[in-house]
Amino acid sequence: MEQRNLYGILAEFDNPKELIDISKEVVELGYDKFDTYSPFPIHGIDKAMKLKKSKLGWIVLGHGILGFCGALAMMYFMSVIDYPLNIGGKPFFNVPAWVPVTFELTILLSAFGTVFGMFFLNGLPRFNHPLFNIERFKNSTDDKFFICIEASDSKFHTDIVLDLFKNAGASYIEEVYE
Amino acid sequence: MSKYEYIPEAKLVKGNHDFASITHLVTDVNLRRTPTMWYLLMLPANGLLLLLLGSIGYLFWEGTGIWGLTNPVGWGWAIINFVWWVGIGHAGTLISAILFLFRQDWRTAINRFAEAMTIFAVMCALIFPAIHVGRIWVIYWVFPIPNQMVMWPNFNSPLLWDVFAVSTYFTVSLLFWYVGLVPDLATLRDKATDKIRQIGYGLFSLGWNGSSRHWWNYEKAYMILAGLATPLVLSVHTIVSFDFAVSVIPGWHTTIFPPYFVAGAIFSGFAMVLTLMIITREVYGMKDIMTDDHMEKMNIIIMVTGSMVGFAYLMEFFIAWYSGVEYEKAIFILRATGPYAWAYWIMMGCNVISPQFFWSKKLRTNVKFTFFISIVVNIGMWFERFVITVSSLATDYLPSSWDYYSPTIWDVITYVGTFGLFGTMFLLFLRFLPMIAIAEIKAVMPQADPHNYDNNGKYIPPKEKIQSYVKIINSTDNISIEQDNEKITIQDEPKSKTLEPAFFVKPKNA
């Protein structure tokens, strides 16, 4: 036990309300390296944890613009520059007819941006995590609600955190080692 | 006092469930031993799949001459089946995206299921235009990749738009489905007891651990995907309809096609979801989650979209007359009275008349009747595509070139075979993936709302029906005039009304 590094202290709660309450308390006490874990997104936990607005929208916007411009550039290169084809006397730069392809590629690139951007912001995939060493943590995807204050937090002190969780009525507390 | 009263939503999850029992109910299907029945169903599905592969193999060997295509009918069953399957594939994204944006929480019971259906239906659909090209070995010419002719695809062609629309739709649906699956795969990973499942589900859940910081980005991503998929789902069948509408064939060259195709797609897609849902919830005992209320709401959507389709049929007729174009007028009269009148009247009966039964509450809450109508609707929608595709071509401008189109056995086998592909994929899905979005269904349960614990941390379920509301008012001693009014108006309401699902607030004393 001694040679392993302490990752943090994990506490289990029985319902989402308790998790919101303890999150508020932890934020008020000034901890910032902590996280809560739940089987579903809890309404209002973002406010309790004072989470900043997700940056995902900007990533998607960038991808959307890339898709839009990329589609038009591709069609312009192919139909106007590289091999212009006279089809029924229509103009080579035939914008109205290019609307569907431009639209679809904008959506496609934006969707890629959304999904992979989300995983990127979340640091996934990550298959090893100190919390996965805790048998009881498996319930975080079932019906239990967890909070973990990390040892790397400047205010972290084992006894204080243990007391904090005990007083908040945690149903289970365990030290997590890396 | 307001003129309107609010009737609370019916409970989304029936029975006495908590989070753990929902997890168990859904994941147990994937974790227990494979039932014998599953193998028994897999046999015919695989048999039909082999039939499909065989018929496609023979088509590649022999060419499209094995089909019933003639002059002037150059588009036959392959195109009909393509449009039909793509149409069915619209329900999944509609449920997961549009109903999500409208905050229709009941969608959580069926969205996973419907999205899976969408993906498999689009797979079936994609087969047809691909094998229809005749020279399958140069199918890559439809994509903008360099080829030996140093030519590029024609971006002015609706057929090329279709390539982009359907493949984008497939990709985005798959991404949407996978994003929804990740937290549930993590649940399966944590519930699994054997190494193979732990590794398999673990790999695909990407190490999801339910962190609120992750959920925060995840919810944002889900919202953006829904926002992207909404115009996408409407664009796909619009572009499919351009395949017809951008041509100059009488009966095809109409501006009503895009909205009318989209309504028809939703109509048939919901019918297919119902067909599958009614069987699956029976077999797997999911009636607590996929309730009769869901069925009723979907029946109402079927009724609305069916009426839109019926309206479009009449409007087409009117515009054909109003346009004064002889060929346009002739084709519509020929559809109703000509060589394909039998198909036309099957279409009218199945699509226009059958959904109207759902005005009756008794019929739209009847499971067996719904199942019957859901099949009738998809037969009708197949005939709609038949009527549009074949009748316009078979009796076009020059009567001297008219010809009657009949399919060959290979047309039929290929179509029937796609049910094998669909069935095989669907059975695999039911066996190995959670058929219900576990995390999403938990989030809409009353236990998930922190406000239901406001009373000293004890869970108090919210009020569901107006009846209990009445009781509370009666039990208080000091009844004000306002509450008196309330009491009287509520008691005036017949009791059965309280069971109706609330889509809108309804006027009092109505």
Side-chain angles (χ1 to χ4, degrees), chain B residues 171-480:
Chain B
T171 315
V172 173
S173 300
L174 197 66
L175 287 173
F176 208 166
W177 192 52
Y178 182 62
V179 166
L181 267 171
V182 166
D184 292 354
L185 291 175
T187 304
L188 274 168
R189 170 201 67 200
D190 291 343
K191 283 278 153 196
T193 45
D194 56 319
K195 260 271 153 326
I196 295 171
R197 281 194 177 86
Q198 278 172 345
I199 292 173
Y201 290 127
L203 216 54
F204 284 100
S205 60
L206 307 176
W208 182 266
N209 58 17
S211 149
S212 291
R213 292 174 199 275
H214 291 181
W215 278 121
W216 187 228
N217 288 322
Y218 178 94
E219 282 191 286
K220 183 90 179 177
Y222 206 92
M223 172 72 86
I224 293 174
L225 272 181
L228 291 171
T230 298
L232 178 66
V233 68
L234 300 180
S235 83
V236 175
H237 231 53
T238 299
I239 291 174
V240 170
S241 82
F242 285 166
D243 291 346
F244 299 93
V246 176
S247 72
V248 287
I249 303 287
W252 287 7
H253 190 56
T254 55
T255 47
I256 202 174
F257 260 29
Y260 147 44
F261 266 53
V262 171
I266 294 164
F267 181 52
S268 65
F270 268 68
M272 190 59 131
V273 173
L274 274 175
T275 311
L276 296 170
M277 183 185 108
I278 288 172
I279 302 174
T280 311
R281 69 173 197 163
E282 195 69 49
V283 173
Y284 287 99
M286 295 291 178
K287 279 188 173 175
D288 282 349
I289 298 176
M290 300 173 179
T291 64
D292 288 356
D293 295 336
H294 293 112
M295 193 185 76
E296 190 189 348
K297 285 175 181 169
M298 292 171 79
N299 279 338
I300 292 172
I301 293 181
I302 285 183
M303 189 181 82
V304 171
T305 48
S307 304
M308 284 159 80
V309 169
F311 173 76
Y313 292 163
L314 299 180
M315 194 44 83
E316 270 189 321
F317 248 97
F318 169 75
I319 292 292
W321 168 76
Y322 192 64
S323 69
V325 180
E326 291 304 322
Y327 297 107
E328 192 76 12
K329 280 195 272 186
I331 193 69
F332 277 95
I333 290 169
L334 275 168
R335 276 185 189 173
T337 61
Y340 299 102
W342 56 275
Y344 182 82
W345 292 108
I346 292 177
M347 166 188 101
M348 285 302 249
C350 294
N351 293 350
V352 182
I353 297 167
S354 72
Q356 300 306 325
F357 287 110
F358 289 145
W359 287 99
S360 151
K361 189 173 170 72
K362 207 174 214 164
L363 290 176
R364 69 171 181 258
T365 49
N366 183 318
V367 179
K368 280 179 190 147
F369 185 75
T370 303
F371 185 73
F372 171 71
I373 292 288
S374 74
I375 289 174
V376 167
V377 164
N378 265 321
I379 294 172
M381 285 310 289
W382 192 89
F383 275 99
E384 180 199 293
R385 280 66 182 250
F386 179 86
V387 167
I388 291 172
T389 311
V390 173
S391 74
S392 279
L393 289 173
T395 51
D396 66 349
Y397 295 103
L398 284 176
S400 60
S401 67
W402 288 5
D403 199 3
Y404 192 81
Y405 164 84
S406 305
T408 62
I409 183 73
W410 293 103
D411 284 298
V412 182
I413 286 180
T414 316
Y415 174 54
V416 173
T418 51
F419 286 95
L421 175 65
F422 186 81
T424 305
M425 297 303 289
F426 206 76
L427 284 168
L428 287 172
F429 159 71
L430 290 176
R431 177 75 192 97
F432 295 109
L433 295 173
M435 71 175 88
I436 284 160
I438 310 170
E440 286 180 49
I441 201 101
K442 281 177 191 164
V444 299
M445 284 166 72
Q447 287 95 322
D449 186 352
H451 288 299
N452 289 333
Y453 298 89
D454 279 348
N455 198 337
N456 290 329
K458 283 271 175 301
Y459 170 66
I460 296 171
K463 299 165 190 100
E464 292 145 34
K465 290 176 189 169
I466 216 85
Q467 275 142 326
S468 57
Y469 189 47
V470 175
K471 270 178 212 156
I472 290 164
I473 291 171
N474 284 344
S475 65
T476 44
D477 288 325
N478 46 349
I479 298 165
S480 71

Side-chain angles (χ1 to χ4, degrees), chain A residues 40 87 114 116 118 122 136 148 157 164:
Chain A
F40 52 84
I87 297 155
T114 314
F116 297 113
M118 183 267 286
N122 287 349
R136 199 136 165 164
C148 180
H157 202 283
L164 172 70

Side-chain angles (χ1 to χ4, degrees), chain A residues 15 17 34-38 40 46 52 54 56 79 82-83 87 94 97 103-104 122 125-127 141-142, chain B residues 23 150 152 154-156 161 187 190-191 206-207 210-217 221 232 235 239 442 454:
Chain A
N15 68 49
K17 168 81 172 162
F34 76 100
D35 206 348
T36 56
Y37 304 86
S38 58
F40 52 84
D46 50 301
K52 287 196 194 82
S54 174
L56 189 61
S79 309
D82 194 47
Y83 201 137
I87 297 155
N94 193 4
F103 173 79
E104 299 298 336
N122 287 349
R126 177 186 175 180
F127 295 107
T141 56
D142 184 0
Chain B
T23 312
V150 290
W152 299 106
N154 174 12
F155 291 103
N156 304 327
W161 303 344
T187 304
D190 291 343
K191 283 278 153 196
L206 307 176
S211 149
S212 291
R213 292 174 199 275
H214 291 181
W215 278 121
W216 187 228
N217 288 322
L232 178 66
S235 83
I239 291 174
K442 281 177 191 164
D454 279 348

Side-chain angles (χ1 to χ4, degrees), chain B residues 493-507:
Chain B
E493 299 255 358
K495 268 194 176 173
S496 63
K497 277 208 168 178
T498 56
L499 295 171
E500 270 180 43
F503 298 106
F504 311 102
V505 283
K506 51 161 67 179

Side-chain angles (χ1 to χ4, degrees), chain B residues 6 29 38 108 167-168 197 255 279 360 505:
Chain B
Y6 174 70
V29 174
W38 189 83
T108 49
S167 51
T168 299
R197 281 194 177 86
T255 47
I279 302 174
S360 151
V505 283

